[in-house]
Amino acid sequence: MDSNGVSSASDIRREIASLEAAKAQIEDRISTLQAQLSNCSSNGRAKEEIEENRFSAPSPTETISDGQLSADMIYRYSRHLLLPSFGVEAQANLLKASVLVIGAGGLGSPALLYLAACGVGRVGIVDHDVVELNNLHRQIIHTEAYIGRSKVESAAAACRAINSTVQIVEHKEAFRTSNAVEIMSKYDIVVDATDNVPSRYMISDCCVVLGKPLISGAALGLEGQLTVYNYNGGPCYRCLFPTPPPTTACQRCADSGVLGVVPGIIGCLQALEAIKVAGAIGEPLSGRMLLFDALSARIRIVKIRGRSLQCEACGENTTLTPQKFRDFDYEKFTQSPLSTSPLKLNLLPTNARITSKEYNERNIKGEAHVLVDVRPSHHYKIISLPKSLNIPLASLEARLWEISAALGRDEGDKTENDGSSASLYVICRRGNDSQRAVEYLHKMGFTSAKDIVGGLESWANDVDPKFPTY
Amino acid sequence: MQLTLEFGGGLELLCNSVKIHTVDVEPKAEEKKLTMKHLLSWVHTNLIKERPEMFLKGDTVRPGVLVLINDCDWELSGQLDTVLEDKDVVVFISTLHGG
Ligand SMILES: [Zn+2]
């Protein structure tokens, strides 16, 4: 930049990042101290530290002496206590209850905020992920200051900031068969706020093994679904879905998109159902399912089947035990991974592929070529490489002639395309669809077609760091 | 007879992204009643425009699809043998897993 002592943009960014990290640490410490302070003032007795809990918030039973709420509690929860159908009994039930929220993402964010705010005695949070910028539009419990840090730490700090009297337990690990029973057995109610199929089967089975009610929510695109499983003789997840869906039917938010407020609404409803179960009020959504369609503003509540006698998890002849649960391979059963890392296909021989760096070099040298971008058109509109031709994979077959035309030759002589002077490269978002497209193009006679390994993501990583990713 | 068919949870993508279809379906000539079994094959022929394997498996819906007849799980009314009546609302919904 310049030599007059003015910092470069990267220096400034670095300093902002380090200040923000320091600020987050200070905020963390403040919320810890506040929790300790309110503990000292509301109750003088010594507290036993709960195993995972670094912070000594009062445990709920200690705050209720002789079945009475403390003055602070009465004031904090007064609007609950004023509700005739909720009242002091349901609030006391909440204060004694513990809820495990698995997933601190789009569903878990609002669920956790409300569960902490409403005074559930102990709230556990399980997640192994870190906060990313593209989470913040929906995962409203996290703030910019926590980008790059653990979601559990971030969510726990937010919950403590709202209600320092609630015990927040941090489980900074993936929920797996190896740790599931141990973690879940310490809670009364489970909220499934995960985002993948194997986790949903695993969590439901674990709830059956341990006899815990399961508040299950899901959201994708502009739709959401909600129900309560394994409650009061009602069905479990396997009663409804004995066979896993084909992997092609399992879309992810990272691929299909999701309107932020939609999981927000479902997560709020999950908090509501957890509060009803914990508070022992109302009719929890068991044996029924809520279907939410945001675009048409429709909510449908349907009656679903009851517990199935044939269910492999909860039926009459079930053999599911904690040991069998620990040994069960959920990834194999559902044919999909527990982690949400994107699929990495490897369909093509190396000579049919080129790296983004190499493509860049060839492009700079002025090599005559056609670059086909096979992403859907709404992806292409977000960002694209200059002079690329957008032919979505789904319409490739019908639009082959456009590639032929672009390559400067007749549609008729596909079979002799090796003599053609222009090269043909195919790109997509991450390098999977481009391989599928190249495979098809080879079959159709475009034998020189090559895919760009890793797609636009690798372009952003290896060639142009300023290129937007999404 | 007139039926309202709704597709959700992504299944609408198989029918040109149209979620609600008001349709007239008659029972097969040799049968007096319209069953879900016949409706599924009618939907396959008349509404599903792509990837039918994302809707059907064998002669029933694929795993992960819930079928609701007048807001009630078809398991409770006899699945494929359920007899439909005029003005019934049948919802096909794929379960979501995202969060
Ligand atoms: Zn079951």
Side-chain angles (χ1 to χ4, degrees), chain A residues 106-107 195-196 200 218-219 223 225 241 243-244 248-249 293 300 302-303 305, chain B residues 6 9 19-20 54 62-63 68 71-73 75 91 94-99:
Chain A
L107 298 165
D195 60 0
N196 62 80
R200 293 193 178 269
E223 287 182 74
Q225 297 170 356
F241 306 108
T243 313
T248 44
D293 182 351
R300 200 185 260 287
V302 300
K303 188 174 176 359
R305 69 201 72 171
Chain B
E6 290 192 32
K19 284 192 164 171
I20 302 179
M54 295 294 284
R62 68 151 167 88
L68 306 154
D71 287 344
C72 204
D73 192 341
E75 285 280 330
V91 176
S94 176
T95 48
L96 304 177
H97 312 283

PDB file of all heavy atoms in Angstrom, chain A residues 106-107 195-196 200 218-219 223 225 241 243-244 248-249 293 300 302-303 305, chain B residues 6 9 19-20 54 62-63 68 71-73 75 91 94-99:
ATOM      1  N   GLY A 106     -30.294 -24.041  12.215  1.00  0.00           N
ATOM      2  CA  GLY A 106     -31.489 -23.261  11.932  1.00  0.00           C
ATOM      3  C   GLY A 106     -32.666 -23.590  12.840  1.00  0.00           C
ATOM      4  O   GLY A 106     -33.425 -22.707  13.237  1.00  0.00           O
ATOM      5  N   LEU A 107     -32.837 -24.870  13.169  1.00  0.00           N
ATOM      6  CA  LEU A 107     -33.927 -25.272  14.069  1.00  0.00           C
ATOM      7  C   LEU A 107     -33.522 -25.059  15.521  1.00  0.00           C
ATOM      8  O   LEU A 107     -34.294 -24.567  16.343  1.00  0.00           O
ATOM      9  CB  LEU A 107     -34.263 -26.755  13.870  1.00  0.00           C
ATOM     10  CG  LEU A 107     -34.773 -27.192  12.495  1.00  0.00           C
ATOM     11  CD1 LEU A 107     -34.695 -28.719  12.372  1.00  0.00           C
ATOM     12  CD2 LEU A 107     -36.200 -26.716  12.278  1.00  0.00           C
ATOM     13  N   ASP A 195     -29.855 -32.235  10.607  1.00  0.00           N
ATOM     14  CA  ASP A 195     -30.148 -31.937   9.218  1.00  0.00           C
ATOM     15  C   ASP A 195     -29.883 -33.103   8.279  1.00  0.00           C
ATOM     16  O   ASP A 195     -29.643 -32.910   7.105  1.00  0.00           O
ATOM     17  CB  ASP A 195     -29.339 -30.709   8.766  1.00  0.00           C
ATOM     18  CG  ASP A 195     -27.842 -30.957   8.892  1.00  0.00           C
ATOM     19  OD1 ASP A 195     -27.448 -32.059   9.329  1.00  0.00           O
ATOM     20  OD2 ASP A 195     -27.067 -30.055   8.544  1.00  0.00           O
ATOM     21  N   ASN A 196     -29.879 -34.331   8.810  1.00  0.00           N
ATOM     22  CA  ASN A 196     -29.611 -35.443   7.888  1.00  0.00           C
ATOM     23  C   ASN A 196     -30.338 -36.717   8.320  1.00  0.00           C
ATOM     24  O   ASN A 196     -30.734 -36.861   9.472  1.00  0.00           O
ATOM     25  CB  ASN A 196     -28.098 -35.684   7.772  1.00  0.00           C
ATOM     26  CG  ASN A 196     -27.475 -36.070   9.094  1.00  0.00           C
ATOM     27  OD1 ASN A 196     -27.558 -37.231   9.504  1.00  0.00           O
ATOM     28  ND2 ASN A 196     -26.887 -35.103   9.786  1.00  0.00           N
ATOM     29  N   ARG A 200     -31.437 -38.741  12.095  1.00  0.00           N
ATOM     30  CA  ARG A 200     -32.836 -38.811  12.511  1.00  0.00           C
ATOM     31  C   ARG A 200     -33.198 -40.226  12.971  1.00  0.00           C
ATOM     32  O   ARG A 200     -33.870 -40.393  13.981  1.00  0.00           O
ATOM     33  CB  ARG A 200     -33.752 -38.323  11.392  1.00  0.00           C
ATOM     34  CG  ARG A 200     -33.523 -36.826  11.181  1.00  0.00           C
ATOM     35  CD  ARG A 200     -34.525 -36.122  10.340  1.00  0.00           C
ATOM     36  NE  ARG A 200     -34.165 -34.714  10.283  1.00  0.00           N
ATOM     37  CZ  ARG A 200     -34.606 -33.795  11.146  1.00  0.00           C
ATOM     38  NH1 ARG A 200     -35.437 -34.130  12.102  1.00  0.00           N
ATOM     39  NH2 ARG A 200     -34.214 -32.541  11.034  1.00  0.00           N
ATOM     40  N   ALA A 218     -38.157 -30.443  11.025  1.00  0.00           N
ATOM     41  CA  ALA A 218     -37.336 -30.417   9.824  1.00  0.00           C
ATOM     42  C   ALA A 218     -37.794 -29.259   8.958  1.00  0.00           C
ATOM     43  O   ALA A 218     -38.966 -28.883   8.981  1.00  0.00           O
ATOM     44  CB  ALA A 218     -37.457 -31.732   9.052  1.00  0.00           C
ATOM     45  N   ALA A 219     -36.855 -28.701   8.200  1.00  0.00           N
ATOM     46  CA  ALA A 219     -37.206 -27.607   7.301  1.00  0.00           C
ATOM     47  C   ALA A 219     -36.296 -27.647   6.094  1.00  0.00           C
ATOM     48  O   ALA A 219     -35.130 -28.023   6.192  1.00  0.00           O
ATOM     49  CB  ALA A 219     -37.075 -26.258   8.005  1.00  0.00           C
ATOM     50  N   GLU A 223     -40.615 -25.087   3.211  1.00  0.00           N
ATOM     51  CA  GLU A 223     -41.537 -25.977   3.912  1.00  0.00           C
ATOM     52  C   GLU A 223     -40.925 -26.497   5.209  1.00  0.00           C
ATOM     53  O   GLU A 223     -39.709 -26.621   5.326  1.00  0.00           O
ATOM     54  CB  GLU A 223     -41.883 -27.176   3.027  1.00  0.00           C
ATOM     55  CG  GLU A 223     -42.821 -26.829   1.876  1.00  0.00           C
ATOM     56  CD  GLU A 223     -43.153 -28.065   1.069  1.00  0.00           C
ATOM     57  OE1 GLU A 223     -43.930 -28.896   1.550  1.00  0.00           O
ATOM     58  OE2 GLU A 223     -42.599 -28.204  -0.031  1.00  0.00           O
ATOM     59  N   GLN A 225     -41.757 -29.317   8.751  1.00  0.00           N
ATOM     60  CA  GLN A 225     -42.546 -30.420   9.314  1.00  0.00           C
ATOM     61  C   GLN A 225     -42.206 -30.575  10.790  1.00  0.00           C
ATOM     62  O   GLN A 225     -41.077 -30.318  11.195  1.00  0.00           O
ATOM     63  CB  GLN A 225     -42.255 -31.730   8.555  1.00  0.00           C
ATOM     64  CG  GLN A 225     -42.668 -31.657   7.095  1.00  0.00           C
ATOM     65  CD  GLN A 225     -42.178 -32.832   6.256  1.00  0.00           C
ATOM     66  OE1 GLN A 225     -41.458 -33.697   6.728  1.00  0.00           O
ATOM     67  NE2 GLN A 225     -42.570 -32.844   4.995  1.00  0.00           N
ATOM     68  N   PHE A 241     -41.465 -44.413   9.225  1.00  0.00           N
ATOM     69  CA  PHE A 241     -40.548 -44.601   8.096  1.00  0.00           C
ATOM     70  C   PHE A 241     -39.669 -45.820   8.322  1.00  0.00           C
ATOM     71  O   PHE A 241     -38.471 -45.690   8.604  1.00  0.00           O
ATOM     72  CB  PHE A 241     -39.689 -43.341   7.902  1.00  0.00           C
ATOM     73  CG  PHE A 241     -40.504 -42.092   7.769  1.00  0.00           C
ATOM     74  CD1 PHE A 241     -40.541 -41.155   8.782  1.00  0.00           C
ATOM     75  CD2 PHE A 241     -41.270 -41.867   6.636  1.00  0.00           C
ATOM     76  CE1 PHE A 241     -41.314 -40.005   8.668  1.00  0.00           C
ATOM     77  CE2 PHE A 241     -42.051 -40.726   6.512  1.00  0.00           C
ATOM     78  CZ  PHE A 241     -42.076 -39.791   7.527  1.00  0.00           C
ATOM     79  N   THR A 243     -38.448 -47.882   6.275  1.00  0.00           N
ATOM     80  CA  THR A 243     -37.378 -47.994   5.278  1.00  0.00           C
ATOM     81  C   THR A 243     -36.850 -46.599   4.967  1.00  0.00           C
ATOM     82  O   THR A 243     -37.647 -45.687   4.745  1.00  0.00           O
ATOM     83  CB  THR A 243     -37.933 -48.596   3.969  1.00  0.00           C
ATOM     84  OG1 THR A 243     -38.712 -49.745   4.307  1.00  0.00           O
ATOM     85  CG2 THR A 243     -36.845 -49.004   3.016  1.00  0.00           C
ATOM     86  N   PRO A 244     -35.525 -46.407   4.951  1.00  0.00           N
ATOM     87  CA  PRO A 244     -34.992 -45.086   4.633  1.00  0.00           C
ATOM     88  C   PRO A 244     -35.306 -44.685   3.188  1.00  0.00           C
ATOM     89  O   PRO A 244     -35.438 -45.561   2.326  1.00  0.00           O
ATOM     90  CB  PRO A 244     -33.479 -45.228   4.817  1.00  0.00           C
ATOM     91  CG  PRO A 244     -33.246 -46.557   5.402  1.00  0.00           C
ATOM     92  CD  PRO A 244     -34.461 -47.386   5.193  1.00  0.00           C
ATOM     93  N   THR A 248     -31.186 -40.032  -3.254  1.00  0.00           N
ATOM     94  CA  THR A 248     -31.493 -38.954  -4.202  1.00  0.00           C
ATOM     95  C   THR A 248     -32.678 -38.118  -3.731  1.00  0.00           C
ATOM     96  O   THR A 248     -32.897 -37.020  -4.219  1.00  0.00           O
ATOM     97  CB  THR A 248     -31.838 -39.527  -5.585  1.00  0.00           C
ATOM     98  OG1 THR A 248     -32.712 -40.645  -5.385  1.00  0.00           O
ATOM     99  CG2 THR A 248     -30.618 -39.974  -6.332  1.00  0.00           C
ATOM    100  N   ALA A 249     -33.461 -38.633  -2.769  1.00  0.00           N
ATOM    101  CA  ALA A 249     -34.615 -37.885  -2.284  1.00  0.00           C
ATOM    102  C   ALA A 249     -34.271 -37.041  -1.065  1.00  0.00           C
ATOM    103  O   ALA A 249     -35.130 -36.403  -0.490  1.00  0.00           O
ATOM    104  CB  ALA A 249     -35.746 -38.837  -1.941  1.00  0.00           C
ATOM    105  N   ASP A 293     -46.331 -24.800   4.923  1.00  0.00           N
ATOM    106  CA  ASP A 293     -45.954 -24.340   3.593  1.00  0.00           C
ATOM    107  C   ASP A 293     -45.909 -22.823   3.617  1.00  0.00           C
ATOM    108  O   ASP A 293     -46.939 -22.147   3.629  1.00  0.00           O
ATOM    109  CB  ASP A 293     -46.983 -24.846   2.567  1.00  0.00           C
ATOM    110  CG  ASP A 293     -46.616 -24.431   1.146  1.00  0.00           C
ATOM    111  OD1 ASP A 293     -45.683 -23.622   0.973  1.00  0.00           O
ATOM    112  OD2 ASP A 293     -47.262 -24.920   0.203  1.00  0.00           O
ATOM    113  N   ARG A 300     -51.067 -27.353   7.885  1.00  0.00           N
ATOM    114  CA  ARG A 300     -51.965 -28.499   7.873  1.00  0.00           C
ATOM    115  C   ARG A 300     -51.551 -29.401   9.021  1.00  0.00           C
ATOM    116  O   ARG A 300     -50.365 -29.642   9.212  1.00  0.00           O
ATOM    117  CB  ARG A 300     -51.722 -29.226   6.552  1.00  0.00           C
ATOM    118  CG  ARG A 300     -52.765 -30.136   6.073  1.00  0.00           C
ATOM    119  CD  ARG A 300     -52.216 -30.813   4.824  1.00  0.00           C
ATOM    120  NE  ARG A 300     -52.694 -30.233   3.574  1.00  0.00           N
ATOM    121  CZ  ARG A 300     -53.918 -30.397   3.105  1.00  0.00           C
ATOM    122  NH1 ARG A 300     -54.797 -31.104   3.755  1.00  0.00           N
ATOM    123  NH2 ARG A 300     -54.271 -29.864   1.956  1.00  0.00           N
ATOM    124  N   VAL A 302     -52.082 -33.127  10.360  1.00  0.00           N
ATOM    125  CA  VAL A 302     -52.664 -34.383   9.905  1.00  0.00           C
ATOM    126  C   VAL A 302     -52.505 -35.454  10.981  1.00  0.00           C
ATOM    127  O   VAL A 302     -51.619 -35.390  11.826  1.00  0.00           O
ATOM    128  CB  VAL A 302     -51.997 -34.847   8.585  1.00  0.00           C
ATOM    129  CG1 VAL A 302     -52.191 -33.799   7.492  1.00  0.00           C
ATOM    130  CG2 VAL A 302     -50.511 -35.133   8.779  1.00  0.00           C
ATOM    131  N   LYS A 303     -53.390 -36.421  10.911  1.00  0.00           N
ATOM    132  CA  LYS A 303     -53.332 -37.545  11.850  1.00  0.00           C
ATOM    133  C   LYS A 303     -52.424 -38.600  11.237  1.00  0.00           C
ATOM    134  O   LYS A 303     -52.607 -38.974  10.065  1.00  0.00           O
ATOM    135  CB  LYS A 303     -54.755 -38.091  12.012  1.00  0.00           C
ATOM    136  CG  LYS A 303     -54.922 -39.138  13.099  1.00  0.00           C
ATOM    137  CD  LYS A 303     -56.424 -39.444  13.219  1.00  0.00           C
ATOM    138  CE  LYS A 303     -56.839 -40.513  14.159  1.00  0.00           C
ATOM    139  NZ  LYS A 303     -55.934 -41.260  14.930  1.00  0.00           N
ATOM    140  N   ARG A 305     -50.247 -42.470  11.668  1.00  0.00           N
ATOM    141  CA  ARG A 305     -50.438 -43.803  12.252  1.00  0.00           C
ATOM    142  C   ARG A 305     -49.928 -43.851  13.698  1.00  0.00           C
ATOM    143  O   ARG A 305     -49.071 -43.070  14.094  1.00  0.00           O
ATOM    144  CB  ARG A 305     -49.711 -44.842  11.391  1.00  0.00           C
ATOM    145  CG  ARG A 305     -48.221 -44.738  11.461  1.00  0.00           C
ATOM    146  CD  ARG A 305     -47.520 -45.396  10.272  1.00  0.00           C
ATOM    147  NE  ARG A 305     -47.693 -44.619   9.049  1.00  0.00           N
ATOM    148  CZ  ARG A 305     -47.061 -44.862   7.920  1.00  0.00           C
ATOM    149  NH1 ARG A 305     -46.229 -45.894   7.826  1.00  0.00           N
ATOM    150  NH2 ARG A 305     -47.246 -44.122   6.858  1.00  0.00           N
TER     151      ARG A 305
ATOM    152  N   GLU B   6     -52.542 -32.926  -3.723  1.00  0.00           N
ATOM    153  CA  GLU B   6     -51.491 -31.979  -3.370  1.00  0.00           C
ATOM    154  C   GLU B   6     -50.162 -32.697  -3.233  1.00  0.00           C
ATOM    155  O   GLU B   6     -50.099 -33.808  -2.703  1.00  0.00           O
ATOM    156  CB  GLU B   6     -51.812 -31.297  -2.029  1.00  0.00           C
ATOM    157  CG  GLU B   6     -52.968 -30.337  -2.130  1.00  0.00           C
ATOM    158  CD  GLU B   6     -53.082 -29.456  -0.872  1.00  0.00           C
ATOM    159  OE1 GLU B   6     -52.028 -29.141  -0.254  1.00  0.00           O
ATOM    160  OE2 GLU B   6     -54.211 -29.116  -0.519  1.00  0.00           O
ATOM    161  N   GLY B   9     -43.093 -31.151  -0.031  1.00  0.00           N
ATOM    162  CA  GLY B   9     -41.802 -31.667   0.423  1.00  0.00           C
ATOM    163  C   GLY B   9     -40.848 -31.944  -0.729  1.00  0.00           C
ATOM    164  O   GLY B   9     -39.907 -32.715  -0.576  1.00  0.00           O
ATOM    165  N   LYS B  19     -48.196 -27.514  -7.058  1.00  0.00           N
ATOM    166  CA  LYS B  19     -48.464 -28.228  -5.814  1.00  0.00           C
ATOM    167  C   LYS B  19     -49.889 -28.771  -5.737  1.00  0.00           C
ATOM    168  O   LYS B  19     -50.121 -29.841  -5.200  1.00  0.00           O
ATOM    169  CB  LYS B  19     -48.222 -27.300  -4.616  1.00  0.00           C
ATOM    170  CG  LYS B  19     -46.751 -27.093  -4.314  1.00  0.00           C
ATOM    171  CD  LYS B  19     -46.529 -26.422  -2.975  1.00  0.00           C
ATOM    172  CE  LYS B  19     -45.074 -26.598  -2.557  1.00  0.00           C
ATOM    173  NZ  LYS B  19     -44.729 -25.804  -1.378  1.00  0.00           N
ATOM    174  N   ILE B  20     -50.857 -27.990  -6.210  1.00  0.00           N
ATOM    175  CA  ILE B  20     -52.254 -28.403  -6.050  1.00  0.00           C
ATOM    176  C   ILE B  20     -52.872 -28.690  -7.419  1.00  0.00           C
ATOM    177  O   ILE B  20     -52.797 -27.862  -8.328  1.00  0.00           O
ATOM    178  CB  ILE B  20     -53.054 -27.304  -5.308  1.00  0.00           C
ATOM    179  CG1 ILE B  20     -52.404 -27.027  -3.943  1.00  0.00           C
ATOM    180  CG2 ILE B  20     -54.519 -27.724  -5.132  1.00  0.00           C
ATOM    181  CD1 ILE B  20     -53.072 -25.967  -3.121  1.00  0.00           C
ATOM    182  N   MET B  54     -38.847 -41.306  -8.073  1.00  0.00           N
ATOM    183  CA  MET B  54     -38.849 -40.455  -6.880  1.00  0.00           C
ATOM    184  C   MET B  54     -40.228 -40.416  -6.237  1.00  0.00           C
ATOM    185  O   MET B  54     -40.417 -39.840  -5.171  1.00  0.00           O
ATOM    186  CB  MET B  54     -38.423 -39.024  -7.240  1.00  0.00           C
ATOM    187  CG  MET B  54     -36.999 -38.910  -7.729  1.00  0.00           C
ATOM    188  SD  MET B  54     -35.836 -39.327  -6.425  1.00  0.00           S
ATOM    189  CE  MET B  54     -35.961 -37.821  -5.481  1.00  0.00           C
ATOM    190  N   ARG B  62     -42.754 -44.525  -2.817  1.00  0.00           N
ATOM    191  CA  ARG B  62     -41.399 -44.887  -2.368  1.00  0.00           C
ATOM    192  C   ARG B  62     -41.261 -44.599  -0.866  1.00  0.00           C
ATOM    193  O   ARG B  62     -42.025 -43.817  -0.309  1.00  0.00           O
ATOM    194  CB  ARG B  62     -40.350 -44.084  -3.141  1.00  0.00           C
ATOM    195  CG  ARG B  62     -40.348 -42.603  -2.828  1.00  0.00           C
ATOM    196  CD  ARG B  62     -38.971 -41.962  -2.991  1.00  0.00           C
ATOM    197  NE  ARG B  62     -39.079 -40.512  -2.985  1.00  0.00           N
ATOM    198  CZ  ARG B  62     -39.037 -39.773  -1.885  1.00  0.00           C
ATOM    199  NH1 ARG B  62     -38.920 -40.342  -0.700  1.00  0.00           N
ATOM    200  NH2 ARG B  62     -39.123 -38.452  -1.964  1.00  0.00           N
ATOM    201  N   PRO B  63     -40.283 -45.247  -0.201  1.00  0.00           N
ATOM    202  CA  PRO B  63     -40.057 -44.953   1.217  1.00  0.00           C
ATOM    203  C   PRO B  63     -39.792 -43.457   1.413  1.00  0.00           C
ATOM    204  O   PRO B  63     -39.136 -42.823   0.590  1.00  0.00           O
ATOM    205  CB  PRO B  63     -38.797 -45.758   1.551  1.00  0.00           C
ATOM    206  CG  PRO B  63     -38.745 -46.842   0.534  1.00  0.00           C
ATOM    207  CD  PRO B  63     -39.362 -46.277  -0.714  1.00  0.00           C
ATOM    208  N   LEU B  68     -51.681 -38.845   2.666  1.00  0.00           N
ATOM    209  CA  LEU B  68     -52.718 -38.406   3.594  1.00  0.00           C
ATOM    210  C   LEU B  68     -54.023 -38.235   2.841  1.00  0.00           C
ATOM    211  O   LEU B  68     -54.078 -37.506   1.855  1.00  0.00           O
ATOM    212  CB  LEU B  68     -52.295 -37.087   4.229  1.00  0.00           C
ATOM    213  CG  LEU B  68     -50.898 -37.156   4.888  1.00  0.00           C
ATOM    214  CD1 LEU B  68     -50.238 -35.800   4.935  1.00  0.00           C
ATOM    215  CD2 LEU B  68     -50.985 -37.784   6.266  1.00  0.00           C
ATOM    216  N   ASP B  71     -56.496 -35.454   5.319  1.00  0.00           N
ATOM    217  CA  ASP B  71     -55.666 -35.153   6.496  1.00  0.00           C
ATOM    218  C   ASP B  71     -55.442 -36.341   7.427  1.00  0.00           C
ATOM    219  O   ASP B  71     -55.189 -36.172   8.624  1.00  0.00           O
ATOM    220  CB  ASP B  71     -56.243 -33.974   7.295  1.00  0.00           C
ATOM    221  CG  ASP B  71     -56.025 -32.664   6.557  1.00  0.00           C
ATOM    222  OD1 ASP B  71     -55.190 -32.642   5.626  1.00  0.00           O
ATOM    223  OD2 ASP B  71     -56.682 -31.670   6.907  1.00  0.00           O
ATOM    224  N   CYS B  72     -55.524 -37.545   6.879  1.00  0.00           N
ATOM    225  CA  CYS B  72     -55.344 -38.735   7.696  1.00  0.00           C
ATOM    226  C   CYS B  72     -54.402 -39.709   6.978  1.00  0.00           C
ATOM    227  O   CYS B  72     -54.574 -39.991   5.795  1.00  0.00           O
ATOM    228  CB  CYS B  72     -56.721 -39.358   7.908  1.00  0.00           C
ATOM    229  SG  CYS B  72     -56.787 -40.341   9.363  1.00  0.00           S
ATOM    230  N   ASP B  73     -53.388 -40.185   7.693  1.00  0.00           N
ATOM    231  CA  ASP B  73     -52.422 -41.152   7.176  1.00  0.00           C
ATOM    232  C   ASP B  73     -53.152 -42.332   6.511  1.00  0.00           C
ATOM    233  O   ASP B  73     -54.056 -42.917   7.110  1.00  0.00           O
ATOM    234  CB  ASP B  73     -51.597 -41.662   8.376  1.00  0.00           C
ATOM    235  CG  ASP B  73     -50.362 -42.463   7.962  1.00  0.00           C
ATOM    236  OD1 ASP B  73     -50.310 -42.930   6.816  1.00  0.00           O
ATOM    237  OD2 ASP B  73     -49.473 -42.612   8.830  1.00  0.00           O
ATOM    238  N   GLU B  75     -52.274 -45.243   6.149  1.00  0.00           N
ATOM    239  CA  GLU B  75     -52.118 -46.481   6.927  1.00  0.00           C
ATOM    240  C   GLU B  75     -53.392 -46.766   7.724  1.00  0.00           C
ATOM    241  O   GLU B  75     -53.696 -47.912   8.045  1.00  0.00           O
ATOM    242  CB  GLU B  75     -50.967 -46.325   7.928  1.00  0.00           C
ATOM    243  CG  GLU B  75     -49.589 -46.387   7.311  1.00  0.00           C
ATOM    244  CD  GLU B  75     -49.147 -47.813   7.035  1.00  0.00           C
ATOM    245  OE1 GLU B  75     -49.573 -48.711   7.764  1.00  0.00           O
ATOM    246  OE2 GLU B  75     -48.380 -48.006   6.072  1.00  0.00           O
ATOM    247  N   VAL B  91     -53.060 -35.921  -0.157  1.00  0.00           N
ATOM    248  CA  VAL B  91     -51.783 -35.208  -0.080  1.00  0.00           C
ATOM    249  C   VAL B  91     -50.643 -36.223  -0.144  1.00  0.00           C
ATOM    250  O   VAL B  91     -50.663 -37.226   0.574  1.00  0.00           O
ATOM    251  CB  VAL B  91     -51.684 -34.403   1.234  1.00  0.00           C
ATOM    252  CG1 VAL B  91     -50.316 -33.742   1.369  1.00  0.00           C
ATOM    253  CG2 VAL B  91     -52.804 -33.365   1.324  1.00  0.00           C
ATOM    254  N   SER B  94     -43.225 -35.617   0.769  1.00  0.00           N
ATOM    255  CA  SER B  94     -41.933 -36.244   1.034  1.00  0.00           C
ATOM    256  C   SER B  94     -41.418 -35.701   2.360  1.00  0.00           C
ATOM    257  O   SER B  94     -41.533 -34.513   2.628  1.00  0.00           O
ATOM    258  CB  SER B  94     -40.967 -35.881  -0.096  1.00  0.00           C
ATOM    259  OG  SER B  94     -39.699 -36.401   0.186  1.00  0.00           O
ATOM    260  N   THR B  95     -40.868 -36.575   3.195  1.00  0.00           N
ATOM    261  CA  THR B  95     -40.376 -36.070   4.479  1.00  0.00           C
ATOM    262  C   THR B  95     -39.144 -35.233   4.256  1.00  0.00           C
ATOM    263  O   THR B  95     -38.331 -35.506   3.386  1.00  0.00           O
ATOM    264  CB  THR B  95     -39.964 -37.203   5.431  1.00  0.00           C
ATOM    265  OG1 THR B  95     -39.151 -38.084   4.703  1.00  0.00           O
ATOM    266  CG2 THR B  95     -41.159 -37.874   5.997  1.00  0.00           C
ATOM    267  N   LEU B  96     -39.006 -34.221   5.087  1.00  0.00           N
ATOM    268  CA  LEU B  96     -37.849 -33.339   5.014  1.00  0.00           C
ATOM    269  C   LEU B  96     -36.840 -33.791   6.060  1.00  0.00           C
ATOM    270  O   LEU B  96     -37.203 -34.375   7.080  1.00  0.00           O
ATOM    271  CB  LEU B  96     -38.271 -31.904   5.311  1.00  0.00           C
ATOM    272  CG  LEU B  96     -39.384 -31.330   4.439  1.00  0.00           C
ATOM    273  CD1 LEU B  96     -39.718 -29.923   4.909  1.00  0.00           C
ATOM    274  CD2 LEU B  96     -38.986 -31.317   2.975  1.00  0.00           C
ATOM    275  N   HIS B  97     -35.573 -33.493   5.808  1.00  0.00           N
ATOM    276  CA  HIS B  97     -34.539 -33.864   6.769  1.00  0.00           C
ATOM    277  C   HIS B  97     -33.686 -32.677   7.161  1.00  0.00           C
ATOM    278  O   HIS B  97     -32.864 -32.764   8.038  1.00  0.00           O
ATOM    279  CB  HIS B  97     -33.658 -34.967   6.183  1.00  0.00           C
ATOM    280  CG  HIS B  97     -34.467 -36.079   5.599  1.00  0.00           C
ATOM    281  ND1 HIS B  97     -35.072 -37.027   6.391  1.00  0.00           N
ATOM    282  CD2 HIS B  97     -34.829 -36.361   4.330  1.00  0.00           C
ATOM    283  CE1 HIS B  97     -35.749 -37.854   5.607  1.00  0.00           C
ATOM    284  NE2 HIS B  97     -35.622 -37.469   4.368  1.00  0.00           N
ATOM    285  N   GLY B  98     -33.848 -31.578   6.458  1.00  0.00           N
ATOM    286  CA  GLY B  98     -32.978 -30.416   6.669  1.00  0.00           C
ATOM    287  C   GLY B  98     -33.276 -29.693   7.959  1.00  0.00           C
ATOM    288  O   GLY B  98     -34.284 -29.914   8.609  1.00  0.00           O
ATOM    289  N   GLY B  99     -32.353 -28.820   8.322  1.00  0.00           N
ATOM    290  CA  GLY B  99     -32.524 -28.015   9.512  1.00  0.00           C
ATOM    291  C   GLY B  99     -31.481 -26.922   9.496  1.00  0.00           C
ATOM    292  O   GLY B  99     -31.266 -26.211  10.401  1.00  0.00           O
TER     293      GLY B  99
END
